[in-house]
């Protein structure tokens, strides 16, 4: 009998399909940029584009050191702080844990870029969602660096420091309690709940891997947020600010929206608010309270860390709560 098995074609399963990586994309973009340099140089001469580029670089440079500090702190928490230790520090009741977590922002300086990876790591370590989110909002707004910057920016108005502190702390606590009552666990992406585990390299390997992962993840969204802030910054004429001086309610709304759009770092926004001398103190206070709670780069970072479903619900609620808390603190203190 003659067999025909030898005539059957064989299928090779070990071949590797080439995969496009970020390095390939970077190389292509670099080659295109070099080839189109004359065109880009002419376009960069436009005043609006130069302003947008300045804002983009400023936002990135302001936020990057604090983002790096935040991911390092996130890695330290993942590597050296056990879930049991965190549960011992915080009250067992999630409702009672919210103000304690918000008060922790007093001793952990950082901007909103740094607080996102830390809050994500706290959730991964078993801290209640409401407490971690209260810390996320409080840390960039009530830490000593921000309060000192506010005092320096408003040397003749010490009430602004107290009003900002009360408004920001009220925002953090209110959002934490609101999430505890109405939030759902499935709104936070599952990747945010995965705790870091020690591998062959031990705790230092966990620290390095956690910091690397969080920096790569958050850094990309920071760039997107800074790009959006730079684009929006050139669309707001300075004359519009002067026209709001006699319209308090409209000024509050506009300053709240500007805080979201400009995406300034919480350590620098007080100096921007102080420069708007044509406006009353209350709209400027709203600007200072809303900015660290919700802005375009922060929403992008939250979407990357906790998922789009979380950001789509948390950001609008934080905006409303921050505006109301700022107005209440302003009317009580200013």
């Amino acid at each position: 009998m003659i067999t025909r098995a030898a005539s059957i074609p064989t299928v090779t399963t070990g071949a590797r399909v080439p995969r496009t990586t970020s390095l390939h994309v970077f190389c292509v973009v670099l080659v295109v940029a070099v080839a189109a340099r004359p065109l880009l140089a002419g376009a960069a001469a436009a005043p609006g584009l130069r302003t947008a580029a300045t804002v983009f670089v400023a936002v990135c440079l302001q936020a990057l050191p604090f983002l790096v500090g935040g991911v390092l702190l996130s890695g330290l928490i993942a590597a050296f702080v056990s879930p049991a230790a965190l549960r011992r520090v915080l009250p067992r009741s999630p409702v009672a844990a919210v103000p304690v977590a918000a008060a922790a922002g007093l001793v952990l300086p950082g901007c909103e870029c740094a607080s996102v990876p830390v809050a994500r790591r706290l959730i991964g370590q078993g801290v209640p969602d409401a407490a971690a989110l209260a810390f996320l909002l409080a840390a960039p707004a009530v830490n000593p660096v921000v309060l000192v910057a506010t005092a320096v920016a408003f040397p003749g108005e010490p009430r602004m420091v107290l009003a900002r502190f009360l408004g920001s702390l009220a925002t953090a606590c209110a959002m934490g309690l609101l999430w505890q009552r109405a939030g759902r666990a499935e709104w936070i992406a599952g990747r945010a709940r995965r705790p870091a585990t020690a591998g062959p390299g031990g705790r230092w390997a966990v620290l390095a891997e956690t910091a690397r992962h969080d920096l790569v993840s958050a850094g990309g969204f920071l760039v997107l947020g800074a790009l959006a802030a730079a684009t929006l910054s050139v669309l707001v004429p300075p004359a519009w600010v002067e026209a709001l001086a006699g319209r308090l309610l409209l000024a509050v709304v506009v300053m709240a929206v500007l805080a979201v759009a400009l995406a300034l770092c919480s350590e620098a926004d007080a100096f921007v608010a102080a420069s708007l001398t044509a406006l009353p103190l209350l709209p400027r206070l709203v600007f200072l309270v809303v900015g660290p709670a919700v802005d375009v780069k922060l929403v992008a970072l939250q979407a990357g860390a906790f998922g789009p479903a979380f950001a789509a619900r948390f950001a609008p609620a934080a905006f409303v709560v921050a505006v109301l808390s700022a107005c209440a603190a302003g009317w009580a203190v200013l």
Side-chain angles (χ1 to χ4, degrees):
M1 178 181 295
I2 301 175
T3 61
R4 302 181 59 186
S7 63
I8 300 177
T10 59
V11 179
T12 303
T13 59
R16 298 182 60 183
V17 179
R19 187 178 57 146
T20 302
T21 65
S22 58
L23 180 60
H24 297 146
V25 175
F26 174 77
C27 292
V28 171
V29 172
L30 184 61
V31 170
V32 172
V34 171
R37 182 180 177 183
L39 297 176
L40 295 177
L49 186 57
R50 284 188 294 180
T51 301
T54 301
V55 172
F56 173 80
V57 174
V59 170
C60 288
L61 290 181
Q62 285 178 345
L64 189 58
F66 298 100
L67 179 60
V68 173
V71 299
L72 289 177
L73 180 58
S74 171
L76 289 172
I77 292 174
F80 296 98
V81 181
S82 67
L86 292 173
R87 286 191 288 268
R88 285 195 299 268
V89 173
L90 293 174
R92 292 185 178 182
S93 170
V95 175
V98 167
V100 175
L106 285 167
V107 296
L108 291 176
C111 75
E112 53 269 31
C113 299
S115 65
V116 172
V118 176
R120 174 182 177 179
R121 195 56 54 197
L122 291 175
I123 291 177
Q125 294 288 67
V127 172
D129 296 351
L133 297 178
F135 172 82
L136 183 149
L137 295 177
V142 302
N143 69 73
V145 176
V146 169
L147 297 180
V148 170
T150 305
V152 173
F154 292 89
E157 294 291 345
R159 298 173 297 170
M160 282 292 288
V161 180
L162 178 60
R164 183 178 192 180
F165 171 78
L166 294 177
S168 299
L169 190 64
T171 299
C173 292
M175 281 302 300
L177 296 175
L178 179 62
W179 187 269
Q180 176 60 30
R181 181 176 181 84
R184 297 182 180 179
E186 59 267 23
W187 290 347
I188 296 180
R191 62 178 179 273
R193 301 189 182 278
R194 289 197 292 266
T197 56
R203 291 182 174 182
W204 290 106
V206 172
L207 188 155
E209 177 60 24
T210 300
R212 183 201 62 79
H213 177 272
D214 288 349
L215 181 61
V216 172
S217 176
F221 286 94
L222 171 62
V223 171
L224 292 178
L227 181 61
T231 303
L232 293 173
S233 66
V234 299
L235 302 180
V236 182
W240 289 11
V241 178
E242 300 176 0
L244 297 175
R247 303 174 182 178
L248 184 61
L249 182 59
L250 181 60
V252 166
V253 175
V254 170
M255 291 301 290
V257 174
L258 281 181
V260 176
L262 294 181
L264 298 172
C265 186
S266 59
E267 279 81 3
D269 56 3
F271 298 95
V272 176
S275 68
L276 303 175
T277 54
L279 294 179
L281 289 178
L282 182 59
R284 289 188 277 174
L285 175 63
V286 171
F287 179 84
L288 296 179
V289 174
V290 171
V294 51
D295 60 39
V296 289
K297 76 173 184 301
L298 184 57
V299 173
L301 290 169
Q302 291 174 355
F306 304 110
F310 169 85
R313 293 169 173 85
F314 189 79
F319 177 82
V320 174
V321 170
V323 171
L324 296 177
S325 299
C327 290
W331 284 325
V333 177
L334 299 179

